[in-house]
Amino acid sequence: SSGINAEYGGGRCDEEETAQETSVREMAEEIGIEPLEVWGCLRRPVISLRLENVYGCVGYLGSVDDTEFKLSEAEVSHVFTVPLETLLQTRFVRNYPNHVTNAKQQWKRFTKELANDQESHDRYQTLTAIRAIEQYSMPGFPSPISTDPDIWGLTAIMTDRLFHAALRDDGYPKHDFLPIKEE
C-alpha cells in the first residue's frame, strides 16, 4: 500500500524483460521478497486510465512473517495481507468519475500516436470511447485496515479477473469496465 491507495507493486519493464520478470523484480525492490513460484500472468493487459498497458502476475509466497518484508520507503508505506475468502465475500461494485476526460495534453499526444498506427487503430477507437464516458463502474474490496482506502482501481480489477479466471465455473461474475449510462 502506498498510503494513498492499496495497490500491487509494479513498474515498467526493463529492456527485453517479460511481464513476469518485471513483476518478480519489482516485488523484490518494493517489499524485499520474491515469490516461491510464479503461477502466471494475465493474457491481455488491463489498460489503465493513464493509458498504459498493465500486466498482472500471480505467484505463491508461502507462509510469510511480517518481519520478512523489507519495504522501499520511497514507494511503500505498509503491507497487509487479506485471506482470499474475505475478498470473495466482501466484493462490491461502485461508480467512479472518469478522470481521463480532463487529461487533455497527455491524451492528445497519445491518441495522435495511435491514430497514425494502423496496428493500434482498434485500441485508438476503444480509448476514444473511454474518454467520452463521464462515469464507470468497477469492482472493489474493503481494506482490511479501517484507516486505509478501499482496494479499487487496477488492483481491484486484476484481483477480480483472477477470481473470475479461477472461479468462473462456480459462478463468479465477470465484471468489465462498464460506463454508467445517463438517463
Side-chain angles (χ1 to χ4, degrees):
S1 177
S2 66
I4 300 170
N5 290 306
E7 51 193 41
Y8 294 128
R12 299 195 184 281
C13 289
D14 289 341
E15 195 171 316
E16 298 187 31
E17 187 176 51
T18 67
Q20 183 172 312
E21 292 166 338
T22 301
S23 182
V24 171
R25 176 181 52 78
E26 287 289 339
M27 186 178 204
E29 289 174 8
E30 293 180 14
I31 62 173
I33 59 174
E34 293 184 15
L36 299 175
E37 295 177 50
V38 177
W39 291 340
C41 296
L42 290 174
R43 284 186 216 155
R44 292 182 25 207
V46 175
I47 299 174
S48 76
L49 292 179
R50 291 184 183 156
L51 310 175
E52 299 169 322
N53 288 333
V54 180
Y55 294 87
C57 297
V58 178
Y60 176 68
L61 294 177
S63 180
V64 179
D65 185 276
D66 288 348
T67 61
E68 294 179 58
F69 293 112
K70 307 289 184 250
L71 306 184
S72 165
E73 291 182 23
E75 297 183 88
V76 181
S77 66
H78 59 281
V79 174
F80 60 82
T81 59
V82 185
L84 294 179
E85 187 171 336
T86 299
L87 291 176
L88 286 168
Q89 293 171 352
T90 59
R91 174 189 187 261
F92 59 82
V93 175
R94 186 174 289 156
N95 298 340
Y96 296 91
N98 184 358
H99 297 292
V100 169
T101 57
N102 298 323
K104 290 187 173 107
Q105 282 305 112
Q106 180 184 10
W107 181 261
K108 284 180 184 176
R109 177 190 55 77
F110 184 78
T111 54
K112 184 177 179 182
E113 291 170 12
L114 283 180
N116 295 324
D117 180 2
Q118 287 299 339
E119 291 180 18
S120 300
H121 187 70
D122 288 344
R123 185 169 180 217
Y124 171 74
Q125 288 181 318
T126 300
L127 293 173
T128 299
I130 288 171
R131 185 170 189 263
I133 297 167
E134 297 275 330
Q135 288 189 58
Y136 55 92
S137 71
M138 74 164 64
F141 305 90
S143 172
I145 301 172
S146 63
T147 56
D148 279 5
D150 290 333
I151 300 166
W152 71 287
L154 291 177
T155 299
I157 290 171
M158 288 187 281
T159 302
D160 203 59
R161 288 191 179 176
L162 165 68
F163 288 154
H164 176 72
L167 302 169
R168 70 176 146 244
D169 292 343
D170 295 327
Y172 191 87
K174 182 176 183 186
H175 185 92
D176 282 324
F177 176 91
L178 298 173
I180 305 301
K181 295 181 181 175
E182 299 289 326
E183 293 186 27

